[in-house]
Amino acid sequence: MSSAGPRRSAPAALRNRGPILEVLREQLGDSGLLLEVASGTGEHALHIAAALRGWIIQPSDPDPSARASIDAWAQEAELPNLLPALALDASAAEWPIAAADAVLCINMIHIAPWHATLGLLAGAARILPAGAPLVLYGPYRQQDVPLAESNAEFDRSLRERNPEWGLRELETVTEAARAAGFTAGPVVPMPANNLTVVFRRQG
């Protein structure tokens, strides 16, 4: 363990947190509770809580070491709108939270089996009210769009690590989201060949 204690840092989070925050500013209202699924190091939750003071940020992760990192960052920052991390598995049939006004998931669905994506969609549908956003960030395959070489190499490396991992087709994710009760919203191009995809809970 480093001198930082349980706190972990992800270079990608430091690079993409600004662009992700800008999309959230456009898609969220003035206040509410935002659940972040698979919060990882906790740096995104911290950044969002510091910037969107009207929102209560609920981070979560199934990994105890990730939750320790999330809570260590939060303890240091002492932000009143950043809650302790929940132990939440996206694929679980029940989540330890009954309701939220928005759900955010960054860089999870390509580093998890497909059933985790289906669980994420089902869980978000259970806890979101009509019209509320589910915001997904990460690399995707898109039909009729050439795959960037960096994403192709990333996809190969993921599948070598675990055959159940890999970049998902955006059209397949969108179809699954619609089946779970969402309508498709904006698809926002992001730095480093990533996308932020917004879905809205149907009424």
Side-chain angles (χ1 to χ4, degrees):
M1 187 175 294
S2 70
S3 59
R7 286 184 305 157
R8 302 186 333 206
S9 184
L14 300 179
R15 289 194 301 268
N16 61 34
R17 63 185 183 181
I20 292 173
L21 177 62
E22 290 310 305
V23 175
L24 292 177
R25 289 188 190 277
E26 295 174 359
Q27 296 299 322
L28 301 181
D30 294 331
S31 62
L33 188 149
L34 182 149
L35 169 67
E36 185 187 14
V37 176
S39 298
T41 65
E43 291 167 293
H44 279 292
L46 177 66
H47 187 68
I48 295 165
L52 303 180
R53 293 304 182 98
W55 281 81
I56 298 170
I57 310 303
Q58 175 61 78
S60 71
D61 204 281
D63 179 14
S65 64
R67 295 196 301 274
S69 176
I70 295 163
D71 290 340
W73 283 112
Q75 185 175 22
E76 180 181 277
E78 297 183 332
L79 294 172
N81 61 329
L82 180 55
L83 301 179
L86 289 176
L88 187 154
D89 180 349
S91 63
E94 294 184 6
W95 287 3
I97 181 171
D101 300 294
V103 174
L104 171 66
C105 186
I106 298 170
N107 282 334
M108 184 201 83
I109 69 173
H110 56 282
I111 315 178
W114 176 242
H115 68 78
T117 299
L118 298 179
L120 170 66
L121 297 170
R126 287 194 302 269
I127 68 171
L128 288 174
L134 166 62
V135 181
L136 307 180
Y137 170 91
Y140 292 86
R141 294 178 176 272
Q142 291 177 278
Q143 295 175 7
D144 302 322
V145 177
L147 187 64
E149 180 54 38
S150 59
N151 278 355
E153 177 58 35
F154 184 41
D155 183 52
R156 285 191 291 270
S157 68
L158 289 172
R159 294 178 189 278
E160 288 174 0
R161 290 167 61 189
N162 188 323
E164 293 191 281
W165 295 2
L167 273 61
R168 309 299 178 187
E169 283 199 355
L170 179 58
E171 293 79 7
T172 303
V173 174
T174 300
E175 182 180 351
R178 287 183 173 136
F182 290 91
T183 57
V187 176
V188 184
M190 305 292 281
N193 300 308
N194 290 306
L195 300 173
T196 295
V197 183
V198 181
F199 298 104
R200 294 272 173 180
R201 183 74 171 93
Q202 294 178 1

Coordinates of all heavy atoms in Angstrom, one line a residue, residues 47 89 158 171:
H47 N -15.1 14.5 -8.3 CA -15.1 15.6 -9.2 C -16.5 16.1 -9.4 O -16.7 17.4 -9.4 CB -14.4 15.2 -10.5 CG -14.2 16.3 -11.5 ND1 -13.3 17.3 -11.3 CD2 -14.8 16.6 -12.7 CE1 -13.3 18.2 -12.3 NE2 -14.2 17.7 -13.1
D89 N -23.4 -4.6 -7.0 CA -23.1 -5.4 -8.2 C -24.1 -5.1 -9.2 O -25.3 -5.4 -9.0 CB -23.1 -6.9 -7.8 CG -22.7 -7.8 -9.0 OD1 -22.7 -7.3 -10.1 OD2 -22.5 -9.0 -8.7
L158 N -8.6 -6.8 -24.2 CA -9.7 -7.1 -23.2 C -10.1 -8.6 -23.4 O -10.3 -9.3 -22.5 CB -10.9 -6.2 -23.4 CG -10.8 -4.8 -22.9 CD1 -12.0 -4.0 -23.4 CD2 -10.6 -4.7 -21.4
E171 N -25.4 -0.2 -31.1 CA -26.7 -0.6 -31.5 C -27.3 -1.7 -30.6 O -28.5 -1.7 -30.3 CB -26.7 -1.0 -33.0 CG -26.4 0.2 -33.9 CD -24.9 0.5 -34.0 OE1 -24.1 -0.3 -33.4 OE2 -24.5 1.5 -34.7

